[in-house]
Amino acid sequence: FQLSEDVVNRMKESPQSKRDNQRSPQLSSGTAPSSPAAEGKSKSSTGTVSPSQKSSAAEQELYRRYEQEQALVQEELLRLAKREREAASEALNTALQRERNNANEERQRVAQLVSNKK
């Protein structure tokens, strides 16, 4: 059993041509993709996510986290401002009460001095 020279040559070329076909896949039109972007588009249409879509999703997730953190910071600032207002109000009330007490003590002393002179 002897193979013809033509068959032997085709067998020798076969592994090389198979490797070439694997490196540049053919689209349905019979042409290889013109650019990596074309490959990305064809992949995204089959359900896989392209790197730009992954990046966009990651950026959206980071921005969502950023907004959540900003909301928490705003809430904390509002709580701090409220506590400061309450503390200032309490300090003012304490000072006013002290002044009222001092004024009352002063009136009592004046009244006592007036009553002692009579």
Side-chain angles (χ1 to χ4, degrees):
F1 179 82
Q2 179 128 14
L3 296 175
S4 70
E5 189 176 323
D6 186 40
V7 172
V8 171
N9 286 338
R10 280 188 296 187
M11 291 177 69
K12 287 179 182 177
E13 290 176 7
S14 182
Q16 180 64 33
S17 64
K18 282 182 184 176
R19 276 186 250 134
D20 288 345
N21 284 340
Q22 288 174 347
R23 285 189 196 136
S24 59
Q26 301 279 319
L27 294 177
S28 60
S29 65
T31 61
S34 60
S35 69
E39 285 183 355
K41 289 179 183 175
S42 67
K43 286 181 184 177
S44 64
S45 66
T46 60
T48 60
V49 178
S50 73
S52 64
Q53 289 172 332
K54 287 180 185 177
S55 175
S56 177
E59 286 174 0
Q60 287 176 352
E61 177 63 19
L62 285 174
Y63 188 74
R64 185 186 63 80
R65 287 182 187 174
Y66 166 80
E67 286 181 330
Q68 285 178 336
E69 290 294 323
Q70 288 297 311
L72 291 174
V73 167
Q74 288 296 323
E75 288 175 17
E76 186 63 24
L77 287 173
L78 288 173
R79 280 193 292 269
L80 287 171
K82 183 179 177 183
R83 275 191 248 150
E84 286 180 7
R85 280 193 305 273
E86 290 171 351
S89 178
E90 188 176 323
L92 180 61
N93 287 339
T94 302
L96 287 173
Q97 186 62 39
R98 192 178 311 123
E99 285 298 317
R100 284 187 199 119
N101 289 341
N102 289 342
N104 284 338
E105 288 175 6
E106 187 70 26
R107 272 191 225 111
Q108 288 173 355
R109 276 189 241 130
V110 168
Q112 203 172 30
L113 284 173
V114 169
S115 67
N116 284 342
K117 287 189 175 182
K118 290 185 184 178

